[in-house]
Amino acid sequence: MSKLINPTDLNFLLYQVFQADQLNQLEAFKEHDRSTYDAVLRTAEHIAEAYFLPHNAKADAQEPHFDGQRVTTVDEVKVAWQHFADAGLINARHAYDDGGMQLPALIHSACNAFFMSANPSTAGYPFLTSAAANVIHAFGTEEQKHTYLPAMFSGQFAGTMALTEPDVGSSLGDLTTKAIPQDDGSYRIKGQKMYISGGDQDITDNIVHLVLARIEGAPAGVKGISLFIVPKIRVNADGQLGDHNDVQLAGLLHKMGYRGTTSTVLNFGEQDDCHGWLIGEANQGLSYMFKMMNEARIGVGLGAAMIGYRGYLESLDYARQRPQGRAVGERDPLSKPLNIIEHADVKRMLLAQKSYVEGSLALCLFAARLVDESEQGQQQDSAILLDLLTPVVKSFPSFYGPKANDLAIQVLGGSGYTREYPVEQCYRDNRLNPIHEGTHGIQSLDLLGRKLWQHNGKGQQLLLARIQQTLTRAQQHDALQPLCQSYQQHLNTLVKTTMTLGQTLQQGNAELGLANSALYLDMMGRCVIGWLWLEMAEKALSSELADEFIHGKLQTARYFIRWELPEIEHQAQLLCGLDTTCMDMQNHWF
Amino acid sequence: MSKLINPTDLNFLLYQVFQADQLNQLEAFKEHDRSTYDAVLRTAEHIAEAYFLPHNAKADAQEPHFDGQRVTTVDEVKVAWQHFADAGLINARHAYDDGGMQLPALIHSACNAFFMSANPSTAGYPFLTSAAANVIHAFGTEEQKHTYLPAMFSGQFAGTMALTEPDVGSSLGDLTTKAIPQDDGSYRIKGQKMYISGGDQDITDNIVHLVLARIEGAPAGVKGISLFIVPKIRVNADGQLGDHNDVQLAGLLHKMGYRGTTSTVLNFGEQDDCHGWLIGEANQGLSYMFKMMNEARIGVGLGAAMIGYRGYLESLDYARQRPQGRAVGERDPLSKPLNIIEHADVKRMLLAQKSYVEGSLALCLFAARLVDESEQGQQQDSAILLDLLTPVVKSFPSFYGPKANDLAIQVLGGSGYTREYPVEQCYRDNRLNPIHEGTHGIQSLDLLGRKLWQHNGKGQQLLLARIQQTLTRAQQHDALQPLCQSYQQHLNTLVKTTMTLGQTLQQGNAELGLANSALYLDMMGRCVIGWLWLEMAEKALSSELADEFIHGKLQTARYFIRWELPEIEHQAQLLCGLDTTCMDMQNHWF
């Protein structure tokens, strides 16, 4: 079996659950069919296995180094990067006319999944570049597109998003980087940015930073933020590289994991000579950046799912091969030890992992399907549902992916705790995901404070309708009836909780209504994943796949709905009771 | 405030909750009083802060190195080790006649807590040495004691426990290391051991390995295991060091954390010249080792609690100083940001940590109090209760300590994920604790398969009686009445679940009864910690301590009993229903 993704599972998700073969009903994808999809998926898998996987541990052990002058990364990163770019994967989703493959987001996400499983750190460079290019493509001038996009697509330039500052993490409204207008229409940028992933490296000739800054005299807060293109090296009119643009690497941050991707502190305009070019309109920067961030949030979810998935496959492999202990009740010390996969508690740890990571991957692919529907089919409903679910797509995998990696280590025991086995790195790498692109706390406020109520709660209705469709189909299968019944009961709890919190917020009691938002985010995540497990079980039972695969999906659906979902009942009690235990705690009582 | 332990909390636990000042009613401690306890605690804290804390991060970054000839550790480890030994802390609990301080386990554990918080890796060396010395002291001959103990107490020799082998992790009955009897009464040892902590180092002149091996012709399984003293360098009759003893370091293992403590693969008798000396009787090795292991399990619990505690204090400190974001509903972008401790979700993360780590420390100190009562007072009841609780003392802190460290990182956000802040290392260090000295799975089988039913369930009765005493006192406080009521309800659930599982096991259905043992272990842990929170809240309310401290204990008791304890209800449903979801899963369905 592939070390990166179970191929049966991926095909099942793409073609049975999310009906990728029907995407060609959308205009943009009409020239595609399963054969073109499979070809690009095989290419992605090959490049991931041949050029990304082999140096995953090495790039961790020999993390990027800054000698005060330049950054050094292991050589394999550049080779991997170039293979990725040469295969057309940086601009795979762009139009044929722009040199792209017009690939659906669903298939593109599946391609990305291989890289995230193989080597999330090295994958970070092309993924960030894609995201930055997409912003320029969507909001830049023709000249800006012409100057930067071909070089970003070919792998000559990389891209970053430069939001965070040393004193400004989650509250972007407080950022202080300045942009001073110049007579030629450009700006001089001045300020410091921190935690900029890929902010410097020795892989590409140039780096295109997308920088959030405040134009002199702009309003305070989020309403005065603009977005700028700030290349590391200026690009002349003829496309040749010009002068250095006064973007200085102040230092690298040393992370627990994800070490292969540089995390940087950058000084812009220390010599007052950092040129920036405004993207779109002044003071609209945050809305442009949010396009990129929403994509990035789905990408973080997918990354978290896949690091979890990799750990699951590794621990499954180990459990199948490692003899240790005997069946309960076996008293003969000379009897042959069992492989540990036969122990109930090891099965529990594998089942939990399977439920988290296959559920998370399904969720991320569902989000990608919604991207396709909303972008290409102009379906407003899909856009609304995607908007509602984005905090869940970012957060559920980011919370349960690391939990899966924790269990993978536990399955391996002492071996799992050493760097001699890959699950150790998975655990460290994945710990980043609940933090970047908006922490859990931020996502939960976004969900409960905003997303649920947009368009008069239309997103909720759309989600419930989708769930109802699944339940109707699932109830046709005897094996699923008891699960449907339990699920319906817990779904009612979610609906009731949402109403109670909605009323509280409507009455103006925002502090009280939002106090336990993190709990609500988890509850919503469990309900969404529980639904996707029912959906997978139903599609599996309706398929002609191998019995063992179908049993696996069915038993994991049982696990998730019996073991994981019911915990929302206690969460609902706290939420519906508007529990104030945390809110009431005082600084000096700690 | 101290970076290692909140001093008010420690004094409260020692003197108010566990009444250390009444320990002098036990014969061995009659010459002690609070002033002698406080003196040794101050010494421990000073040595921990001055000699252990400063190199905690350095010993992690520059982990021990093996060049094929010898191991190198950072110099500070040896200095710290010698300060520890010189202060008499290795043999602090031994009798005055043996050069010890006759210190109660309760006070000794509190001393150890400082070192575990400051630098668990360096603390590993003296703690293992103490444990090995205790076994020799308890079961060795006078000659063995005379040969090894003075040098171990003075810090000249270190000690290890060498159980695990490459193919034998948790099932010791399968170990294959051989012991071949010699005419002079000694044995030749031959075999390989793995994951031996402190198995080699450059800190001490000699290392005394306690090795489990099988004497030629011994019965198979656990009944044929004997325990041997196997020094790295032989000790002549005059106490001088003699020849090397054919114990070879095959290599170091590279751990995720706890890097400062070497983890080794050792070859015994590659040249057929490894001499070992039997401890006690042949084939009784496992019972001797279990004395050491029970101590070690309580030590692991304490270590996990303290690494969690350290992370909690660091994140609390950060949250109090880091401005970010504004109150819900504050719309003025020019208003001053709040320190993040004012956000409800940050309070949640700090409260959860406080509930886990202060609860875990209380549990470990309670276990130490039981050690004192059972060893010194010869109280059979305390020994039985300690025996029942040992799996919980090992496991609850090992599971919830890392969870606390995870939350500490989340409080710090991006900073928490970098090695520039100490919470990152805490997270890696603590991940070892659910694995070594018996994994969660092993502990849960020990609890549910054995400990609960020993002495006709006397341990359960003793625990329930202690809980009832707390409830009776707590109900006198108005503030605690609703908590007592909830607690009683959940306790009933535990009792009912225990009965159901007991009946299943009694009917010979061991596989079914034990299938979900890990769930039961967590359930028991939550009930025990919930009880200790009621106990702490009651003692705090009855004290004359500062209002803020009392409020803190009360609110954390509320948090634990409202937020964490009720999750046992769903666990009970699965357990009482003898759920077979995990057991039924099949290898090839994954």
Side-chain angles (χ1 to χ4, degrees):
Chain A
M1 186 192 286
S2 163
K3 270 186 162 328
L4 303 181
I5 313 180
N6 173 350
T8 316
D9 187 34
L10 184 62
N11 280 331
F12 168 72
L13 288 172
L14 289 178
Y15 296 107
Q16 238 108 7
V17 180
F18 299 119
Q19 299 163 309
D21 40 359
Q22 290 176 29
L23 283 168
N24 56 12
Q25 293 170 7
L26 300 173
E27 178 63 21
F29 311 133
K30 67 180 180 190
E31 291 180 28
H32 283 299
D33 58 23
R34 181 156 177 170
S35 69
T36 60
Y37 297 151
D38 284 348
V40 67
L41 286 164
R42 274 199 305 275
T43 301
E45 183 175 18
H46 167 69
I47 296 174
E49 286 199 333
Y51 300 105
F52 281 70
L53 182 62
H55 72 279
N56 187 44
K58 181 177 174 185
D60 176 70
Q62 300 174 30
E63 69 185 329
H65 171 72
F66 178 47
D67 64 6
Q69 297 295 321
R70 50 175 283 151
V71 173
T72 315
T73 59
V74 296
D75 295 338
E76 289 88 341
V77 180
K78 193 182 169 105
V79 176
W81 160 270
Q82 202 56 55
H83 276 282
F84 190 98
D86 289 350
L89 289 169
I90 293 180
N91 58 332
R93 290 194 54 216
H94 287 267
Y96 300 126
D97 289 347
D98 294 331
M101 294 190 230
Q102 267 178 232
L103 208 61
L106 178 58
I107 301 299
H108 188 236
S109 292
C111 290
N112 287 348
F114 286 110
F115 296 97
M116 282 300 194
S117 180
N119 188 331
S121 292
T122 296
Y125 295 105
F127 289 2
L128 284 163
T129 303
S130 271
N134 290 348
V135 172
I136 296 174
H137 185 266
F139 305 110
T141 62
E142 284 310 311
E143 191 190 336
Q144 287 169 344
K145 291 190 217 179
H146 180 75
T147 306
Y148 298 104
L149 292 185
M152 292 172 86
F153 291 157
S154 73
Q156 192 194 352
F157 296 0
T160 77
M161 43 201 291
L163 291 73
T164 306
E165 299 179 2
D167 293 324
V168 181
S170 301
S171 52
L172 290 171
D174 289 324
L175 64 81
T176 61
T177 295
K178 278 187 300 190
I180 304 140
Q182 305 295 308
D183 292 343
D184 67 355
S186 73
Y187 292 77
R188 291 295 174 277
I189 308 295
K190 197 170 174 68
Q192 191 175 57
K193 295 286 178 180
M194 190 167 181
Y195 298 118
I196 308 311
S197 294
D200 209 348
Q201 31 83 352
D202 59 352
I203 305 162
T204 58
D205 297 345
N206 200 2
I207 302 173
V208 182
H209 303 290
L210 297 190
V211 177
L212 287 182
R214 199 179 290 287
I215 297 173
E216 280 194 320
V222 292
K223 291 176 181 162
I225 297 176
S226 304
L227 183 62
F228 297 88
I229 296 178
V230 183
K232 178 179 174 183
I233 298 167
R234 287 175 215 141
V235 183
N236 295 334
D238 61 359
Q240 298 297 304
L241 293 181
D243 295 332
H244 272 266
N245 191 28
D246 192 14
V247 180
Q248 295 296 334
L249 177 61
L252 295 179
L253 296 157
H254 300 92
K255 302 192 292 303
M256 177 195 298
Y258 246 103
R259 293 188 182 192
T261 310
T262 53
S263 182
T264 61
V265 182
L266 295 176
N267 291 333
F268 293 89
E270 268 193 319
Q271 317 291 329
D272 294 323
D273 195 30
C274 177
H275 300 214
W277 289 270
L278 183 68
I279 296 185
E281 291 177 37
N283 301 334
Q284 297 298 314
L286 216 54
S287 67
Y288 306 144
M289 195 54 112
F290 259 102
K291 182 191 157 53
M292 185 166 174
M293 280 217 285
N294 279 327
E295 256 181 63
R297 285 173 176 181
I298 298 171
V300 167
L302 182 65
M306 294 318 301
I307 301 172
Y309 207 119
R310 169 91 197 281
Y312 164 60
L313 292 181
E314 292 285 346
S315 68
L316 177 59
D317 197 44
Y318 184 91
R320 281 177 166 154
Q321 295 178 30
R322 169 79 179 179
Q324 187 87 178
R326 288 167 183 80
V328 170
E330 171 60 77
R331 300 270 176 225
D332 177 5
L334 293 175
S335 63
K336 209 176 144 221
L338 295 176
N339 288 333
I340 62 170
I341 198 168
E342 303 300 335
H343 299 307
D345 195 49
V346 174
K347 290 183 189 179
R348 172 186 67 83
M349 295 191 280
L350 292 169
L351 256 180
Q353 287 183 71
K354 184 174 164 78
S355 78
Y356 301 154
V357 305
E358 292 182 7
S360 292
L361 177 57
L363 175 63
C364 295
L365 294 179
F366 176 57
R369 185 64 155 99
L370 292 176
V371 169
D372 287 326
E373 292 170 16
S374 56
E375 285 184 4
Q376 303 298 338
Q378 274 92 51
Q379 287 183 34
Q380 178 69 4
D381 283 0
S382 299
I384 290 171
L385 185 52
L386 177 64
D387 217 30
L388 171 68
L389 287 179
T390 297
V392 180
V393 177
K394 196 278 172 179
S395 294
F396 185 92
S398 294
F399 191 78
Y400 289 89
K403 228 171 135 167
N405 290 135
D406 182 58
L407 290 167
I409 288 179
Q410 198 66 18
V411 169
L412 272 76
S415 299
Y417 191 65
T418 67
R419 278 125 65 202
E420 279 78 6
Y421 289 80
V423 292
E424 184 271 343
Q425 186 184 346
C426 291
Y427 181 76
R428 285 186 289 106
D429 285 351
N430 221 348
R431 185 61 189 83
L432 176 60
N433 287 316
I435 297 172
H436 65 165
E437 309 303 340
T439 61
H440 267 294
I442 296 290
Q443 301 297 334
S444 72
L445 292 173
D446 185 37
L447 177 65
L448 187 55
R450 239 159 46 98
K451 294 291 175 66
L452 280 169
W453 324 113
Q454 287 179 339
H455 311 282
N456 288 316
K458 182 92 187 285
Q460 293 178 51
Q461 294 161 27
L462 292 166
L463 178 63
L464 291 174
R466 295 247 187 178
I467 293 174
Q468 217 50 63
Q469 287 167 16
T470 302
L471 286 170
T472 304
R473 273 184 285 112
Q475 266 149 354
Q476 310 301 313
H477 301 271
D478 290 349
L480 293 179
Q481 278 168 10
L483 294 185
C484 288
Q485 219 172 343
S486 303
Y487 185 84
Q488 185 68 60
Q489 203 180 319
H490 296 305
L491 185 65
N492 294 345
T493 301
L494 175 69
V495 171
K496 185 173 148 262
T497 306
T498 310
M499 277 178 57
T500 303
L501 293 172
Q503 283 161 6
T504 308
L505 295 171
Q506 214 164 19
Q507 288 158 9
N509 243 330
E511 193 185 355
L512 186 62
L514 296 175
N516 303 318
S517 59
L519 216 50
Y520 183 85
L521 176 63
D522 186 55
M523 183 179 187
M524 173 74 130
R526 287 182 197 240
C527 288
V528 169
I529 296 292
W531 159 53
L532 288 170
W533 271 110
L534 270 184
E535 175 72 21
M536 285 191 275
E538 192 279 321
K539 288 277 170 65
L541 283 167
S542 305
S543 78
E544 306 201 330
L545 290 161
D547 275 357
E548 291 181 339
F549 181 84
I550 297 170
H551 278 305
K553 285 290 183 193
L554 179 60
Q555 194 69 4
T556 314
R558 285 189 181 122
Y559 169 81
F560 196 84
I561 290 171
R562 290 176 184 165
W563 281 61
E564 301 281 340
L565 187 59
E567 291 189 17
I568 73 159
E569 296 301 327
H570 171 235
Q571 296 175 326
Q573 275 179 24
L574 291 168
L575 286 162
C576 290
L578 300 171
D579 184 271
T580 59
T581 310
C582 299
M583 202 174 107
D584 290 345
M585 185 70 181
Q586 299 298 309
N587 183 350
H588 294 289
W589 298 358
F590 281 107
Chain B
M1 190 193 283
S2 161
K3 271 185 164 324
L4 303 181
I5 313 179
N6 173 349
T8 316
D9 187 33
L10 185 62
N11 280 330
F12 169 71
L13 288 172
L14 290 178
Y15 296 108
Q16 238 109 6
V17 180
F18 298 118
Q19 300 163 310
D21 40 358
Q22 290 176 29
L23 283 168
N24 56 12
Q25 293 169 7
L26 300 173
E27 177 63 20
F29 310 133
K30 68 180 180 191
E31 289 180 28
H32 282 299
D33 58 24
R34 182 158 178 169
S35 69
T36 60
Y37 297 151
D38 285 348
V40 68
L41 287 165
R42 272 199 307 275
T43 301
E45 183 175 18
H46 167 68
I47 296 174
E49 286 198 333
Y51 300 104
F52 281 69
L53 182 62
H55 72 279
N56 187 44
K58 182 178 174 185
D60 176 69
Q62 300 174 31
E63 69 185 328
H65 171 70
F66 178 47
D67 64 7
Q69 297 295 321
R70 51 176 282 151
V71 173
T72 315
T73 59
V74 297
D75 296 338
E76 289 87 340
V77 179
K78 194 183 167 104
V79 176
W81 159 272
Q82 203 55 55
H83 276 282
F84 190 98
D86 289 350
L89 289 169
I90 293 181
N91 58 332
R93 291 193 52 218
H94 287 267
Y96 298 127
D97 289 347
D98 294 330
M101 293 189 231
Q102 266 177 234
L103 209 60
L106 177 60
I107 300 300
H108 188 236
S109 293
C111 290
N112 288 349
F114 287 110
F115 295 97
M116 282 299 194
S117 180
N119 188 331
S121 291
T122 296
Y125 296 105
F127 289 2
L128 284 163
T129 303
S130 272
N134 290 350
V135 172
I136 297 174
H137 186 266
F139 305 110
T141 61
E142 283 309 310
E143 191 189 337
Q144 287 169 342
K145 291 190 218 179
H146 180 75
T147 306
Y148 298 104
L149 292 184
M152 293 173 85
F153 291 158
S154 72
Q156 195 196 349
F157 296 1
T160 77
M161 43 202 290
L163 291 72
T164 306
E165 298 180 3
D167 293 322
V168 182
S170 300
S171 51
L172 289 171
D174 289 324
L175 64 80
T176 61
T177 295
K178 280 189 298 192
I180 304 140
Q182 305 296 308
D183 293 343
D184 66 354
S186 74
Y187 292 78
R188 291 293 175 278
I189 307 294
K190 196 167 175 68
Q192 191 175 58
K193 295 285 177 180
M194 190 166 181
Y195 298 118
I196 309 310
S197 294
D200 207 349
Q201 31 85 349
D202 59 351
I203 304 161
T204 58
D205 297 345
N206 200 2
I207 302 174
V208 182
H209 303 290
L210 297 190
V211 178
L212 286 183
R214 197 179 292 285
I215 297 173
E216 279 193 322
V222 293
K223 291 178 182 162
I225 297 176
S226 304
L227 183 62
F228 296 88
I229 296 177
V230 183
K232 177 180 173 183
I233 298 168
R234 288 176 214 139
V235 184
N236 296 335
D238 62 359
Q240 296 299 303
L241 292 182
D243 295 332
H244 272 266
N245 192 28
D246 192 15
V247 181
Q248 294 297 334
L249 178 62
L252 295 179
L253 297 156
H254 300 92
K255 302 192 294 301
M256 177 194 299
Y258 246 103
R259 295 189 181 190
T261 309
T262 53
S263 182
T264 61
V265 182
L266 295 177
N267 290 335
F268 292 89
E270 268 193 319
Q271 317 292 330
D272 293 321
D273 196 30
C274 178
H275 300 215
W277 288 270
L278 183 68
I279 296 184
E281 290 176 37
N283 302 333
Q284 297 299 314
L286 216 55
S287 68
Y288 306 144
M289 194 54 111
F290 259 103
K291 183 192 155 53
M292 186 165 174
M293 280 219 285
N294 279 329
E295 252 181 65
R297 286 174 174 180
I298 298 172
V300 167
L302 182 65
M306 295 318 300
I307 301 172
Y309 207 120
R310 171 91 197 283
Y312 163 60
L313 293 181
E314 292 285 345
S315 67
L316 177 59
D317 197 44
Y318 184 92
R320 281 178 166 154
Q321 294 179 30
R322 169 78 178 179
Q324 187 87 177
R326 289 168 183 78
V328 171
E330 170 60 77
R331 300 275 176 220
D332 178 6
L334 294 174
S335 64
K336 208 176 147 220
L338 294 175
N339 288 332
I340 62 171
I341 198 168
E342 303 300 335
H343 300 308
D345 195 48
V346 174
K347 289 182 189 178
R348 172 186 67 81
M349 295 191 278
L350 292 169
L351 256 179
Q353 287 183 70
K354 184 174 163 80
S355 78
Y356 301 154
V357 305
E358 292 180 9
S360 292
L361 176 57
L363 175 62
C364 296
L365 294 180
F366 177 56
R369 184 66 156 97
L370 291 176
V371 170
D372 287 325
E373 292 170 15
S374 55
E375 285 185 4
Q376 303 300 338
Q378 273 94 48
Q379 288 182 32
Q380 179 69 2
D381 282 0
S382 300
I384 291 171
L385 185 53
L386 177 64
D387 217 29
L388 171 68
L389 287 179
T390 298
V392 180
V393 177
K394 196 277 175 180
S395 294
F396 185 92
S398 294
F399 192 77
Y400 289 89
K403 227 172 141 171
N405 290 135
D406 182 58
L407 290 167
I409 288 179
Q410 199 65 18
V411 169
L412 271 75
S415 298
Y417 192 63
T418 66
R419 278 125 66 204
E420 278 78 6
Y421 289 81
V423 291
E424 184 272 342
Q425 185 184 345
C426 291
Y427 181 75
R428 285 186 291 106
D429 285 351
N430 220 350
R431 185 61 189 81
L432 176 59
N433 287 316
I435 298 172
H436 67 164
E437 309 303 342
T439 61
H440 267 294
I442 297 289
Q443 301 298 332
S444 71
L445 291 174
D446 185 38
L447 176 66
L448 187 55
R450 242 160 44 99
K451 293 292 175 66
L452 281 168
W453 324 112
Q454 288 179 338
H455 310 282
N456 288 315
K458 182 93 188 284
Q460 294 178 50
Q461 294 162 27
L462 292 167
L463 178 62
L464 291 174
R466 294 247 188 177
I467 293 174
Q468 218 50 64
Q469 286 167 15
T470 302
L471 286 169
T472 305
R473 272 184 285 112
Q475 267 150 353
Q476 309 303 313
H477 299 272
D478 290 348
L480 294 178
Q481 277 167 11
L483 295 186
C484 288
Q485 219 172 343
S486 304
Y487 185 85
Q488 183 68 60
Q489 204 180 319
H490 298 304
L491 185 66
N492 294 345
T493 302
L494 175 69
V495 171
K496 185 172 147 266
T497 307
T498 310
M499 275 178 58
T500 303
L501 293 172
Q503 283 160 6
T504 307
L505 294 172
Q506 214 164 16
Q507 288 157 8
N509 242 329
E511 194 185 355
L512 187 62
L514 296 175
N516 302 318
S517 58
L519 217 51
Y520 183 84
L521 176 63
D522 186 55
M523 184 179 186
M524 174 73 130
R526 288 182 197 240
C527 288
V528 169
I529 296 293
W531 159 53
L532 287 170
W533 270 109
L534 269 184
E535 174 72 21
M536 284 191 277
E538 192 278 320
K539 288 278 171 63
L541 283 166
S542 304
S543 77
E544 306 202 328
L545 290 161
D547 275 357
E548 292 180 340
F549 180 84
I550 297 169
H551 278 305
K553 285 291 182 193
L554 180 59
Q555 194 69 4
T556 313
R558 286 189 180 123
Y559 169 81
F560 196 84
I561 290 171
R562 291 176 184 166
W563 281 61
E564 304 280 341
L565 187 58
E567 291 189 16
I568 73 158
E569 296 300 328
H570 171 236
Q571 296 175 326
Q573 275 179 24
L574 292 168
L575 286 162
C576 289
L578 300 170
D579 184 89
T580 60
T581 311
C582 298
M583 203 173 105
D584 290 344
M585 185 71 181
Q586 299 298 310
N587 182 350
H588 293 287
W589 299 358
F590 281 107

